């Protein structure tokens, strides 16, 4: 699990990475099929595609092959100096995970949480979720022609779990205890966390040949060309800025149902750029084909002009069904200043979403589970009330009424003023009143002052600061480097920070326990930034982890959502439930769009890059990379 760095166009650099393993949450009855060999594993509902399926719906199985796909590095890396994406030292191109390495299984892009065979043709999950066995596809081959064997899976896991692997890599396989060779085609992965999430983590594990880097420490495998199973291999490169991949003519998986209609370009060319402005000019000049913009002002104001008008470039926001994690200002309730719920609600009322959303590109966050069926709606159902009632005495009364709706400052010209007036009344009820010097003070004469810590550019909350000043509150902004930001976050040494919680397809009880659980609130280095300690939250998190069907999961998450949002432990901000890109008008696309995907990267197993994998070339005579 990781908290997003750049998941939304807003406060990319302020989000914080997860730094410890979340606690185990497991279901007494597994919500997936166990005890039998199967072609697919799906959580809570049967898999959409049967054992004899031919292809996913969001591909064109007979898509034409050919041409070159021209891309830029999709994240903040401006150079590369290695090919190994699993270690810390140096930078590897994002393309290594997108096009070169593969996993035992692949997630579908039109189901909540389901995986199908890739390197493995079938799976067997132990009834107690203590292990998952994989039967290797006999056709699976590495780029050197060797067959994929259980020995390679064991080797891969040992490398990925080693101290030479990067922290993010180790976190991905933290719940995978070990891999064991069962026979010449079968490998079993034992799970230290007996959970659905661990089962899917095993399926998403990267696999490479035991010959890759043999005899070296893993972090010494730097420029050794990968011996992997993907559809592409390295063709040419010029470190630190250019690399070209070529599709292998004998790709072993080209006829697999889970790969049909994929990888339609003969070559994929990546180029690194020194900064956003340089990359933008290069895109307009035709150096690469797809530009995903994380900046609201740029998306609205720059993605237009003659080349868009004449159809050379196309601007489109692809709507997705990915659940959007809560981006919010996290109030550290370990601080006495934030322990009164009236104070927290007042701080929430002072943030003006509508001012921030001046370009109209964002949606106001309203839930822990934005853009999904798991967000609370209306009044609690009878089933939700049954979960909430045992905690009525310690919960805000509004938990038992309509679902939380964030303030709307567009309802009238005076809406913001009215919200600030309400905030002032709440603060007064909590003992905070404006003194003769214009500052908000309590009965002891202490001023209401706190610090917003960020590793981002200054001034991102200037409007919020001004609204707080109207209430007599002083919020000081402190910009620190990311190393200090992370260290202070791990020690919970802050007043206010921005956190972007992970996007999701299905709610993850372990992640929620890490973010909101009482146990994690007392563990330095964990992810409970708010300092939440709530018996109701802990019990509802357990119910989420114990859900055995979709109805139970939905009921538990909606009850959980009501408790979190009505306690005002955070100031909800924004989300974007779409992939905002401009692209060169040269692509063919499947008739059916994927539902859960990323436009240009592969950061999470649950959001593969649908455009890069399934679009095809429609531009005649495009056989070589552009200069």
């Amino acid at each position: 699990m990781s908290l997003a760095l750049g998941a939304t166009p807003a406060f990319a650099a302020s989000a914080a990475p997860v730094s410890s393993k979340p606690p185990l949450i497991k279901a007494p009855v597994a919500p997936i099929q166990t005890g039998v060999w199967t072609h697919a594993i799906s959580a809570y509902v049967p898999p959409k595609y049967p054992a004899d399926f031919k292809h996913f719906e969001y591909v064109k199985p007979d898509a034409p092959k050919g041409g070159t796909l021209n891309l830029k590095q999709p994240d903040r890396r401006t150079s590369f100096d290695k090919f190994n994406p699993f270690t810390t030292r140096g930078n590897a191109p994002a393309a290594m995970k997108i096009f070169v390495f593969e996993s035992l299984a692949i997630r579908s892009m039109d189901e909540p949480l389901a995986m199908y065979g890739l390197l493995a043709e079938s799976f067997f999950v132990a009834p107690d979720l203590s292990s998952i066995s994989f039967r290797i596809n006999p056709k699976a081959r590495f780029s050197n022609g060797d067959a994929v064997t259980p020995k390679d899976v064991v080797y891969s896991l040992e490398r990925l779990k080693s101290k030479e692997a990067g922290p993010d890599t180790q976190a991905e396989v933290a719940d995978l205890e070990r891999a064991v060779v069962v026979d010449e085609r079968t490998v079993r992965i034992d799970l230290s966390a007996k959970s659905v999430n661990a089962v899917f983590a095993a399926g998403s594990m990267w696999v490479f040949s035991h010959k890759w880097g043999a005899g070296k420490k893993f972090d010494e495998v730097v420029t050794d060309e990968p011996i992997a199973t993907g559809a592409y291999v390295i063709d040419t490169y010029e470190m630190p800025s250019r690399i070209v991949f070529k599709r292998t003519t004998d790709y072993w998986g080209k006829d697999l149902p889970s790969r049909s209609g994929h990888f339609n370009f003969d070559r994929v060319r990546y180029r690194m750029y020194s900064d956003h402005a340089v990359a933008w000019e290069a895109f307009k000049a035709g150096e690469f084909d797809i530009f995903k913009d994380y900046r609201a002002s740029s998306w609205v104001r720059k993605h237009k002009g003659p080349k868009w008008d004449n159809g050379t470039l196309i601007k489109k926001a692809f709507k997705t069904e990915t659940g959007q994690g809560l981006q919010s200002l996290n109030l550290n309730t370990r601080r006495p200043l934030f322990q009164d719920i009236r104070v927290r609600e007042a701080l929430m009322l002072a943030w003006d979403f509508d001012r921030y959303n001046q370009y109209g590109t964002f949606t106001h966050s309203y839930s822990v589970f934005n853009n999904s069926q798991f967000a609370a709606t209306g009044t609690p159902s009878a089933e939700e009330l049954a979960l909430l009632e045992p905690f009525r005495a310690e919960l805000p009364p509004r938990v038992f009424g309509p679902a939380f709706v964030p303030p709307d400052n567009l309802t009238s010209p005076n809406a913001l003023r009215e919200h600030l007036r309400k905030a002032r009344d709440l603060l007064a009820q909590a003992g905070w009143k404006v003194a003769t010097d214009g500052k908000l003070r309590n009965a002891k004469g202490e001023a209401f002052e706190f610090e917003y810590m960020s590793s981002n550019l200054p001034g991102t909350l200037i409007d919020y600061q001004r609204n707080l000043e109207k209430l007599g509150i002083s919020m000081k902004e402190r910009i620190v480097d990311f190393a200090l930001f992370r260290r202070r976050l791990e020690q919970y040494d802050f007043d206010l920070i921005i956190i972007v919680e992970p996007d999701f397809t299905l709610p993850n009880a372990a992640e929620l326990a890490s973010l909101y659980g009482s146990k994690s609130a007392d563990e330095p280095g964990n992810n409970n930034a708010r300092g939440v300690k709530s018996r109701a939250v802990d019990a509802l998190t357990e119910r989420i982890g114990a859900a055995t069907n979709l109805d139970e999961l939905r009921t538990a998450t909606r009850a959980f959502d009501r408790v979190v949002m009505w306690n005002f432990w955070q100031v909800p901000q924004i989300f974007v439930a779409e992939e905002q890109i401009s692209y060169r008008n040269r692509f063919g696309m499947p008739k059916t769009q994927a539902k859960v995907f990323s436009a240009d990267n592969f950061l999470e197993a649950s959001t593969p890059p649908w455009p890069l994998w399934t679009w095809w070339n429609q531009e005649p005579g495009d056989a070589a990379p552009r200069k």
Side-chain angles (χ1 to χ4, degrees):
M1 165 202 173
S2 63
L3 301 186
L5 287 168
T8 67
F11 303 99
S14 294
V18 165
S19 53
S20 65
K21 181 179 172 182
L24 170 63
I25 303 291
K26 62 181 180 179
V29 178
I32 58 175
Q33 191 171 23
T34 64
V36 295
W37 284 98
T38 181
H39 75 290
I41 296 175
S42 177
Y44 301 103
V45 294
K48 175 178 179 177
Y49 298 96
D52 60 351
F53 85 104
K54 303 302 181 186
H55 60 83
F56 294 126
E57 286 184 1
Y58 48 81
V59 305
K60 179 179 171 62
D62 58 348
K65 308 287 186 183
T68 299
L69 177 61
N70 300 281
L71 300 169
K72 78 172 184 71
Q73 177 72 16
D75 53 32
R76 291 181 292 174
R77 283 172 285 186
T78 59
S79 64
F80 74 98
D81 54 12
K82 65 173 184 174
F83 301 135
N84 184 349
F86 308 115
T87 54
T88 301
R89 189 187 314 158
N91 292 313
M96 305 310 295
K97 289 185 177 180
I98 297 173
F99 294 108
V100 175
F101 290 94
E102 290 183 320
S103 52
L104 291 161
I106 191 70
R107 304 270 187 97
S108 65
M109 293 186 246
D110 58 354
E111 296 174 86
L113 185 57
M115 65 182 183
Y116 296 80
L118 186 53
L119 294 177
E121 63 179 4
S122 57
F123 324 111
F124 181 98
V125 180
D128 63 352
L129 303 185
S130 62
S131 69
I132 175 173
S133 297
F134 298 91
R135 189 170 287 151
I136 305 297
N137 191 315
K139 297 179 180 179
R141 293 289 185 277
F142 290 112
S143 54
N144 65 354
D146 289 350
V148 178
T149 69
K151 177 182 177 181
D152 297 302
V153 178
V154 172
Y155 175 82
S156 299
L157 182 57
E158 289 175 349
R159 290 289 218 177
L160 297 172
K161 288 182 71 68
S162 71
K163 64 181 181 181
E164 290 87 20
D168 290 346
T169 297
Q170 293 182 52
E172 289 176 356
V173 296
D175 291 337
L176 314 186
E177 184 174 356
R178 61 173 182 163
V180 180
V181 175
V182 177
D183 58 39
E184 62 181 9
R185 282 185 54 206
T186 308
V187 61
R188 186 187 75 244
I189 296 181
D190 295 331
L191 308 177
S192 55
K194 298 178 182 180
S195 68
V196 172
N197 300 318
V199 169
F200 280 89
S204 302
M205 192 193 89
W206 304 103
V207 176
F208 38 84
S209 171
H210 67 276
K211 294 180 180 179
W212 184 46
K216 296 182 178 179
K217 292 182 178 180
F218 198 34
D219 57 2
E220 294 174 350
V221 182
V222 180
T223 56
D224 308 57
E225 294 199 13
I227 306 175
T229 61
Y232 293 82
V233 295
I234 296 171
D235 185 16
T236 62
Y237 62 92
E238 298 174 27
M239 286 188 181
S241 60
R242 301 169 188 253
I243 186 166
V244 179
F245 301 86
K246 64 179 179 181
R247 183 162 49 83
T248 58
T249 56
D250 57 349
Y251 172 50
W252 73 272
K254 66 182 187 316
D255 297 322
L256 282 181
S258 61
R259 284 308 199 205
S260 177
H262 287 63
F263 308 124
N264 300 316
F265 290 89
D266 288 341
R267 282 179 168 78
V268 179
R269 170 187 177 265
Y270 273 86
R271 183 170 176 179
M272 308 286 189
Y273 294 93
S274 59
D275 60 35
H276 181 275
V278 172
W280 177 245
E281 294 304 318
F283 172 66
K284 291 191 294 182
E287 289 188 11
F288 59 94
D289 298 321
I290 298 174
F291 193 102
K292 179 177 177 180
D293 215 320
Y294 291 95
R295 303 181 182 186
S297 59
S298 178
W299 172 246
V300 172
R301 300 167 65 180
K302 292 185 176 181
H303 288 245
K304 58 185 178 181
K307 290 189 176 182
W308 284 267
D309 295 339
N310 66 24
T312 301
L313 297 174
I314 296 175
K315 174 182 179 179
K316 184 172 180 178
F318 291 86
K319 294 190 179 299
T320 75
E321 296 183 12
T322 307
Q324 300 294 313
L326 177 60
Q327 174 173 322
S328 63
L329 293 162
N330 278 207
L331 303 165
N332 187 353
T333 61
R334 300 172 185 83
R335 304 288 204 243
L337 191 64
F338 302 132
Q339 289 175 359
D340 192 309
I341 190 172
R342 295 167 296 188
V343 168
R344 298 197 299 268
E345 182 177 0
L347 296 176
M348 184 272 299
L349 289 168
W351 193 71
D352 188 359
F353 163 79
D354 300 293
R355 169 68 178 169
Y356 186 82
N357 190 36
Q358 59 184 304
Y359 299 107
T361 59
F362 303 130
T363 301
H364 201 166
S365 291
Y366 57 89
S367 168
V368 178
F369 310 108
N370 296 295
N371 197 47
S372 80
Q373 61 182 307
F374 304 104
T377 59
T379 56
S381 66
E383 292 78 12
E384 288 177 64
L385 287 173
L387 299 180
L388 293 168
E389 282 293 348
F391 308 99
R392 181 179 281 272
E394 58 197 79
L395 291 175
R398 283 180 285 186
V399 167
F400 298 88
F404 171 82
V405 176
D408 184 351
N409 288 329
L410 296 180
T411 55
S412 74
N414 295 320
L416 175 60
R417 184 178 299 174
E418 292 168 359
H419 286 136
L420 291 177
R421 185 179 296 116
K422 182 179 178 181
R424 179 165 293 178
D425 291 343
L426 287 166
L427 290 165
Q429 293 170 24
W432 293 93
K433 297 181 180 180
V434 179
T436 55
D437 60 0
K439 293 185 178 182
L440 198 67
R441 297 183 181 275
N442 60 15
K444 297 179 181 179
E446 297 167 331
F448 197 123
E449 297 176 341
F450 63 91
E451 179 183 273
Y452 161 60
M453 184 179 70
S454 172
S455 62
N456 206 341
L457 297 173
T460 54
L461 293 182
I462 186 68
D463 292 314
Y464 188 49
Q465 278 182 304
R466 289 170 179 165
N467 288 341
L468 292 173
E469 287 172 0
K470 294 175 183 178
L471 297 172
I473 296 172
S474 174
M475 184 186 80
K476 299 176 182 178
E477 181 181 65
R478 181 171 184 187
I479 306 300
V480 300
D481 63 51
F482 188 73
L484 179 57
F485 178 87
R486 184 167 186 165
R487 186 162 61 251
R488 288 186 59 180
L489 176 63
E490 289 173 347
Q491 297 300 318
Y492 303 128
D493 181 20
F494 60 87
D495 298 331
L496 182 78
I497 57 171
I498 291 172
I499 290 290
V500 185
E501 295 174 18
D503 292 345
F504 60 92
T505 53
L506 287 177
N508 183 325
E511 288 182 350
L512 295 173
S514 179
L515 288 162
Y516 297 94
S518 298
K519 184 174 183 292
S520 65
D522 293 326
E523 295 175 342
N526 216 313
N527 302 305
N528 191 340
R530 303 165 180 82
V532 173
K533 286 188 175 183
S534 165
R535 291 195 317 125
V537 166
D538 294 340
L540 291 168
T541 304
E542 291 288 344
R543 291 303 293 255
I544 291 170
T548 59
N549 58 58
L550 203 56
D551 287 339
E552 291 179 1
L553 181 64
R554 213 167 16 233
T555 295
T557 55
R558 290 179 177 181
F560 179 97
D561 196 28
R562 295 177 193 278
V563 174
V564 170
M565 299 310 293
W566 281 122
N567 267 289
F568 304 109
W569 290 313
Q570 63 283 310
V571 177
Q573 290 191 295
I574 62 169
F575 68 89
V576 180
E578 54 191 28
E579 292 288 296
Q580 299 172 340
I581 65 172
S582 280
Y583 58 91
R584 202 153 302 283
N585 188 7
R586 56 166 298 211
F587 296 111
M589 302 178 192
K591 291 182 179 179
T592 301
Q593 180 188 306
K595 296 179 179 179
V596 180
F597 66 94
S598 167
D600 63 353
N601 212 341
F602 195 16
L603 294 174
E604 300 282 348
S606 59
T607 52
W610 176 68
L612 309 191
W613 282 5
T614 68
W615 292 7
W616 62 90
N617 179 53
Q618 288 192 151
E619 189 174 55
D622 180 24
R626 294 191 180 100
K627 300 297 183 184

